[in-house]
Amino acid sequence: MVTGATSLSLVRDELFTTMEETEQSLEHFIAERNNGSLLQQAVENLQQVRGTLNLIELAGAEMLAQEVLQQATDIPTGAGEERDGQLTALSNALYVLRRYLENVDAHRQEMPELLLPAINELRQAGGQPPLPESFFFSVRLDHMRPAGVPAAPVAAEAARRLRHMYQVGLLGFIREDNPQAGLKLMLRALARLDSLFADKPAGRLYWVGAAALESQLDGQLLPRKARKQLFSRLDREIKQALAGNGSYEVPRSLLKELLYLVALADSRGPHASAVHEAFGLAPLPFTDHLLDEEYQRLSGPGQGVMRSLSSAIREELAGAKDLLDLIERGTAQADSFGNLHALLGKMAKTLSMVGLSSASNALQVQLPVVGGWSENSPAQADELHRLAEAVLYVESMVASLERGEQRNSRPAPVQPGDEGEAFAAHQLVEARIVVIDEAQGGLALAKRAITSYLESGGDRMHLANVPISLQAVRGGMWFLNQERAAKLIGLCADYIQKQMIDVPQMPSEQMLETLADALSSLEYYLEAGAVLRPETTPSVLDLAEESVRALGLSVAA
C-alpha cells in the first residue's frame, strides 16, 4: 500500500497529463458523437492510465480506471441520448479518479474505499451489479463463537413474533422515518433470537447480525442504500434459518458484509465487542463519516451547503422581522419600505431554489402589498398581520430545513393567506411532540426498572412506581386519541402490578422478556413517529398486541 502511494510521484506528471487529455477527448466526443477518433483517443489514453496504475500498484485506482475503460469501450460512435447516463458516469468517474490521485500524491495515503461509489455508479450505468461495501476489507470467516450458556427451548410462535419485530424495525429503517428507533427494534429482535438459538448453527447469524446492528446504531453509520439492502437480505436469511430446523449455515458473503460494519463502527457494545474479539477485528483507519466527507470533497460540493444556506436565510428573516417591527411602530426610515420589499423578494427566490415553493409563494403574494407601502401610504394593520403570519410560516419551514428534516416532516405547504392557520397547526404538532417525549420517558423508566428487578433477583421495590408511570403514559395516549396504544400500555401496567408486585413469585424469564418485547414495540411506536403518522407503521401495534397476548392477557374490546 505504501509502495503504491510512494511510487506515484515517479510517474505523476506523465500520468496527470494523460488523464487531462483523456477528459478533454471524452468531453469533445460528448459534443461531437460522430467523431470516433475522439473516443478512440480517450480509450487509448485510458489503457495507458490503467497500465501505469497497475505498474505502481494502486489497486483501487486501477480498478476504477479499468471500469472506466470497459464502459468507454462499450460506447459506440454516434451514441444517442440512451448513452447519456453512461457518458455522465464516465465523466464523473474520471474527475473523481484525478482528484483521488491528487490526494494520494499530496498525503501519501491510499483509501480505495473512497472510489467504491464512483465504481458502482459506473457499474450501474453499464447494467452490472454493484460491488459490496466490504470489497476492500479482509477478514477470516472461519472463527466460531465461544461456547456459552445453552439456549432456552424455542417456541415457534415466539420466533415468528421476533422476526415480525425485526421486519417492523426494518421498515422504519428503510423509510428513514426514524432510523435509530428502527435499528433499536431490529437489535432487540436479533438479540432475543440469539438467546433462543445460541447453541444452534443459526445462532451465528443472529449473533453477528446483532453485532452489526449494534454497530450501525452506536457508530451512527449512515443509512446508505447498500445497508438497507444488507439488512433486508438479513431478513430473508432469518426466514431461511427459522425454516432450516438446525441445518442452516450463514452465507460467507453476508457474514463478511456484517463484519465490515462491526469493524467500521468500532462499537464497544456487548454484542459488537464479543464479535470483535472472536474474529480478531482491528479498527479501520477511517470512519463512515470521514469516508462520506472525503468522497463529497472528491466529487463536488459538501453536504453542509444546504445547512449553511438555511442559516443565511434565517439571518435575512431576522432582518425582515426587525424592519417589520419598525414599520408597525411607525418609526421606520424612508428606505425601510424599499429594503423590506427587496429582502422579501430575495428570500422568495432563494426559497424557491431550495425546493420550499410553498414558503416562496407565501412571500411572493406579499410583495405587491409591501411594494405599495411608503411614508405617505403606511401599512394597514390587517396587512401587517398577514405579512407577520407569512414570515412566521416561512421561519418554521426554514427551521425544518436547517434541522435536516425529511420533506414529509416539515410543516405542510399552504395556500397564500392561510399561513396563520398553518402556523397554529404546527404549534399543535409541537405540543403533541412534548406529550410523546414524556410518554417515551415513562416507557424508558419502566424498562430500566424491570431490568433492575431482574438483576436484583426479584426485588419488588424497583417496580414501585412503574404502574403509576405507565398509567400516566396511558393517559397521554388517550389525550392523543391513541386508544389502542393506551389500552396496551394499561395492560402492561396491570401485568406488572398483578404478576410482579402483588405476588411473591417472579414470572419466568421468558415472560419477562415477552413483557420487554411489548414495551419495546410500544416505545418504537412513539420513537418512530407513528403517533403523528400512524399510517407509516401499521403493524407496530399488532406486534405489541401479539406480545401482550403471549403474556396471557385479553386484548378484546
Side-chain angles (χ1 to χ4, degrees), residues 112-397:
E113 290 81 2
L114 286 175
L115 301 177
L116 273 174
I119 290 172
N120 284 334
E121 183 183 352
L122 275 172
R123 293 176 68 87
Q124 183 178 7
Q128 297 175 279
L131 298 178
E133 281 193 274
S134 64
F135 186 83
F136 295 105
F137 174 64
S138 297
V139 62
R140 283 188 58 183
L141 301 175
D142 55 354
H143 294 286
M144 302 306 294
R145 72 182 299 178
V149 179
V154 182
E157 186 64 23
R160 185 199 64 78
R161 176 166 50 81
L162 291 170
R163 184 187 173 215
H164 185 191
M165 179 184 289
Y166 180 89
Q167 290 174 319
V168 170
L170 176 63
L171 186 62
F173 177 66
I174 290 174
R175 289 176 171 175
E176 294 188 45
D177 294 329
N178 185 330
Q180 299 296 92
L183 287 168
K184 288 178 186 176
L185 201 63
M186 294 160 71
L187 176 57
R188 168 75 186 170
L190 280 197
R192 291 271 282 118
L193 284 167
D194 182 36
S195 69
L196 295 175
F197 292 88
D199 58 347
K200 296 178 174 60
R204 197 164 189 243
L205 173 71
Y206 308 132
W207 177 52
V208 178
L213 282 165
E214 187 175 65
S215 299
Q216 177 81 30
L217 186 63
D218 292 352
Q220 298 184 340
L221 304 185
L222 297 169
R224 301 182 191 275
K225 179 182 178 181
R227 290 165 194 171
K228 295 176 182 178
Q229 292 172 335
L230 173 64
F231 291 130
S232 297
R233 181 185 175 190
L234 182 55
D235 174 56
R236 295 191 294 273
E237 293 297 327
I238 292 171
K239 180 181 179 181
Q240 290 189 32
L242 292 177
N245 294 323
S247 60
Y248 175 82
E249 184 175 344
V250 187
R252 294 176 66 84
S253 59
L254 175 63
L255 189 60
K256 184 182 178 185
E257 282 296 293
L258 295 172
L259 289 172
Y260 173 72
L261 294 186
V262 178
L264 179 63
D266 195 26
S267 168
R268 295 299 177 220
H271 303 286
S273 295
V275 169
H276 257 287
E277 184 176 351
F279 285 87
L281 299 179
L284 298 178
F286 49 78
T287 65
D288 193 33
H289 292 274
L290 174 64
L291 281 179
D292 188 61
E293 290 171 7
E294 289 299 317
Y295 183 73
Q296 293 298 332
R297 191 172 293 117
L298 288 182
S299 59
Q303 292 288 330
V305 171
M306 190 65 75
R307 192 161 294 178
S308 298
L309 184 59
S310 65
S311 180
I313 297 173
R314 286 175 67 85
E315 291 182 11
E316 292 176 348
L317 274 170
K321 288 197 289 186
D322 289 342
L323 289 171
L324 188 58
D325 185 50
L326 292 174
I327 292 171
E328 186 177 15
R329 293 181 183 182
T331 57
Q333 298 180 0
D335 59 353
S336 296
F337 301 98
N339 290 342
L340 179 60
H341 185 270
L343 189 56
L344 293 175
K346 179 183 176 184
M347 280 194 293
K349 290 180 181 177
T350 305
L351 291 166
S352 178
M353 285 172 52
V354 299
L356 296 180
S357 56
S358 179
S360 174
N361 291 338
L363 294 184
Q364 288 281 4
V365 169
Q366 298 298 323
L367 287 177
V369 178
V370 176
W373 294 349
S374 66
E375 285 185 295
N376 298 324
S377 179
Q380 300 299 309
D382 61 330
E383 293 175 338
L384 287 168
H385 181 68
R386 283 195 294 272
L387 177 58
E389 287 183 341
V391 169
L392 286 172
Y393 172 69
V394 170
E395 189 171 40
S396 65
M397 292 288 279

Side-chain angles (χ1 to χ4, degrees), residues 459-472:
D459 185 350
R460 287 171 289 177
M461 288 296 295
H462 292 293
L463 304 176
N465 296 321
V466 172
I468 297 173
S469 176
L470 288 181
Q471 292 296 349

Side-chain angles (χ1 to χ4, degrees), residues 407-522:
R407 187 178 300 274
N408 60 7
S409 62
R410 296 175 188 162
V414 298
Q415 295 299 318
D418 294 337
E419 295 87 6
E421 183 178 342
F423 179 70
H426 186 59
Q427 292 296 97
L428 178 59
V429 170
E430 294 288 335
R432 289 164 66 88
I433 289 172
V434 171
V435 175
I436 293 168
D437 287 343
E438 290 295 323
Q440 283 180 254
L443 282 177
L445 175 66
K447 289 176 66 180
R448 287 196 300 271
I450 292 169
T451 300
S452 299
Y453 165 79
L454 185 60
E455 291 175 348
S456 66
D459 185 350
R460 287 171 289 177
M461 288 296 295
H462 292 293
L463 304 176
N465 296 321
V466 172
I468 297 173
S469 176
L470 288 181
Q471 292 296 349
V473 174
R474 174 175 171 271
M477 291 297 98
W478 277 108
F479 171 77
L480 296 170
N481 297 319
Q482 296 293 318
E483 290 87 355
R484 189 181 176 198
K487 182 173 184 178
L488 293 171
I489 291 169
L491 287 170
C492 290
D494 290 344
Y495 181 86
I496 293 169
Q497 182 68 51
K498 296 175 182 177
Q499 302 298 326
M500 299 170 68
I501 296 178
D502 293 347
V503 296
Q505 182 87 19
M506 277 183 70
S508 68
E509 184 175 346
Q510 179 181 350
M511 296 299 279
L512 289 174
E513 290 288 2
T514 302
L515 173 62
D517 290 344
L519 293 174
S520 295
S521 302
L522 290 164

